[in-house]
Amino acid sequence: MGTLGKVIYTVGFWIRETGQAIDRLGSRLQGNYYFKEQLSRHRTLMNIFDKVPNVDKDAFVAPSASVIGDVQVGQGSSIWYGCVLRGDVNSIRVGSRTNIQDNSLVHVAKSNLSGKVLPTIIGDNVTVGHSAVLHGCTVEDEAFVGMGAILLDGVIVEKNGMVAAGALVRQNTRIPAGEVWGGNPAKFLRKLTQEEIAFITESATNYSNLAQVHAIENAKTFEEIELEKALRKKFARRDEEYDSMLGVIREVPPELILPDNVLPRKSPKLSQ
């Protein structure tokens, strides 16, 4: 940030401070009629009681996700936007290279009616689709849970098992390896093909790579974002018909390659 930028930033800071001071003064003058607005602080990782989330350094947790309490997230796994993993009365374990997609909910049960302790355990290379609900269940390695599916207490999805989108899996149901279950309540539909089993692992790999892209983008500073916006605007490519309508003649080469020193610092390259 240059000298002019620092001056503008400082002026903006003091204007905001002055506005807050005036707001506080007005609130005092209102007395009992003052409506106190509570500050809502979102915390991506949050302790509860003495339980602390443990997220691997190579895992991606989206800024709008909530990982609370006794939750472990393994290497290369991803917790996407709007997800809630709440390990308060029991523990949640997420393995490596597993993806829990947007708006999904993972919770636990202290125990069921028979007294069985019910943490939620999710293995390696698992895909959990958007808006799924997993409660006190076990999903083994390389299993697949479709979008909007609900897994209730005591459910076990074995390795390479698949729960279809929108399915409701009742308590204590076991879904054997290599089978697809769906419906409400969920029932056996058919066996998985070898291509579908291979797709489960492929899906996990794709999401692991995609998570790295999102992690890099979320780590960018405000200055980097603004610079990239300016570069896109300056070097935006249009087709010839669009340019001819505007009467624009562009001298930008077909493939724009920016020098290494254009950005403040280079983002780390994705692992192959």
Side-chain angles (χ1 to χ4, degrees), residues 160 178-180 190-200:
N160 293 330
E179 294 186 0
V180 184
R190 61 178 176 83
K191 291 283 188 178
L192 283 167
T193 66
Q194 290 301 316
E195 290 77 13
E196 289 169 331
I197 292 175
F199 168 76
I200 294 176

Side-chain angles (χ1 to χ4, degrees), residues 56 59 72-79 85 92-100 120-126 139 141:
D56 188 270
Q72 290 186 8
V73 180
Q75 182 181 20
S77 289
S78 53
I79 313 299
L85 280 68
I92 296 173
R93 299 292 179 263
V94 179
S96 300
R97 300 172 301 282
T98 285
N99 61 92
I100 301 177
T120 295
I121 302 171
I122 305 172
D124 299 336
N125 296 311
V126 172
V139 182
D141 297 347

Side-chain angles (χ1 to χ4, degrees), residues 5-83:
K6 291 180 180 179
V7 171
I8 294 174
Y9 176 86
T10 303
V11 171
F13 172 81
W14 285 112
I15 290 175
R16 293 181 63 188
E17 286 292 310
T18 304
Q20 292 175 16
I22 294 173
D23 178 68
R24 289 192 293 269
L25 175 60
S27 297
R28 292 193 185 96
L29 294 175
Q30 285 182 302
N32 293 334
Y33 298 100
Y34 165 48
F35 173 75
K36 185 176 181 181
E37 182 180 1
Q38 297 293 333
L39 177 64
S40 176
R41 294 189 305 155
H42 172 74
R43 295 163 62 185
T44 303
L45 304 179
M46 190 178 86
N47 302 352
I48 189 75
F49 310 123
D50 59 341
K51 301 172 181 178
V52 183
N54 181 8
V55 178
D56 188 270
K57 62 181 180 63
D58 292 326
F60 167 66
V61 179
S64 58
S66 297
V67 178
I68 303 166
D70 189 1
V71 181
Q72 290 186 8
V73 180
Q75 182 181 20
S77 289
S78 53
I79 313 299
W80 291 82
Y81 304 94
C83 287

Side-chain angles (χ1 to χ4, degrees), residues 8 10 16 41 51 54 58 92 96 101 108 117 133 146 158 170 205 208 229 231 253 264 272:
I8 294 174
T10 303
R16 293 181 63 188
R41 294 189 305 155
K51 301 172 181 178
N54 181 8
D58 292 326
I92 296 173
S96 300
Q101 297 173 16
V108 291
V117 177
V133 177
E158 294 183 358
R170 293 185 295 185
T205 300
S208 182
K229 285 167 61 177
L231 288 172
Q272 300 297 324

